[in-house]
Amino acid sequence: NGIEHDLQEVFYTTSYQGVIRALHFQRVKQQPKLVRCIWGHVYDVVVDLRIGSPTFKQWIGFDLIGEKHNEILVPSGCAHGYLVLKDSIVSYKCAEKFYGEYDDGIMWNDPDIQVQWPLEKIGGIENLIIAEKDKNLNSFQQFVDRYDGF
């Protein structure tokens, strides 16, 4: 498909059902990544943050299921997050290293992006598990105002 992916780092995350990982990205040295759920089931979301892109501010969701071995490519300039539908292990094969000083994100329930998370599959919003760092992220509008997109 003409896709080049220069592998730099591989990460694994282990999560319980109900964990939601907000829409993360690196402000600088963006991380294209191949994402796969190697065990369990997650609902994975990618949001286009590239101003000028025909899909700017649009999101797309995927069911990544360990037994199916399906994998997605998250391009540079896109935010990425997921909702854990079954206890899971997720693999990230990144084409750029992680730099904590550039780590950023947009809140999972941003009213401008309006991701339709399948919360009913975890028994509703009251069963969400949200990391402290994901509770105080930017809104989409704050991202646009601060960074003018990518």
Side-chain angles (χ1 to χ4, degrees):
N1 292 324
I3 297 170
E4 291 185 30
H5 191 77
D6 184 21
L7 185 63
Q8 297 293 315
E9 289 186 331
V10 178
F11 296 96
Y12 297 93
T13 59
T14 302
S15 303
Y16 295 108
Q17 179 179 329
V19 166
I20 193 160
R21 300 204 183 265
L23 304 168
H24 290 247
F25 57 89
Q26 280 191 174
R27 294 184 307 276
V28 178
K29 298 184 182 247
Q30 295 164 27
Q31 285 184 298
K33 58 190 91 153
L34 290 164
V35 180
R36 178 174 161 227
C37 180
I38 57 177
W39 180 75
H41 183 180
V42 301
Y43 183 72
D44 200 282
V45 171
V46 178
V47 180
D48 189 349
L49 300 179
R50 301 167 295 183
I51 290 181
S53 167
T55 57
F56 176 66
K57 197 173 105 173
Q58 293 180 24
W59 65 272
I60 188 167
F62 305 88
D63 279 296
L64 297 181
I65 301 169
E67 296 83 32
K68 288 192 175 183
H69 307 288
N70 53 346
E71 187 169 42
I72 63 167
L73 174 66
V74 179
S76 288
C78 293
H80 171 255
Y82 58 84
L83 173 63
V84 179
L85 302 179
K86 291 184 182 175
D87 292 0
S88 297
I89 299 172
V90 174
S91 164
Y92 301 80
K93 298 171 191 158
C94 301
E96 179 57 82
K97 293 181 180 176
F98 175 76
Y99 295 92
E101 64 270 28
Y102 302 133
D103 188 33
D104 211 337
I106 295 172
M107 57 188 170
W108 70 273
N109 58 349
D110 181 82
D112 290 321
I113 297 174
Q114 296 184 8
V115 172
Q116 300 300 305
W117 298 99
L119 298 174
E120 70 282 356
K121 292 185 178 180
I122 61 160
I125 196 168
E126 62 274 5
N127 292 322
L128 273 183
I129 302 167
I130 305 171
E132 282 304 313
K133 82 174 206 171
D134 285 356
K135 291 180 181 177
N136 299 303
L137 292 174
N138 297 308
S139 68
F140 177 77
Q141 190 58 54
Q142 288 169 320
F143 163 76
V144 171
D145 292 346
R146 188 171 294 151
Y147 304 117
D148 292 327
F150 293 127

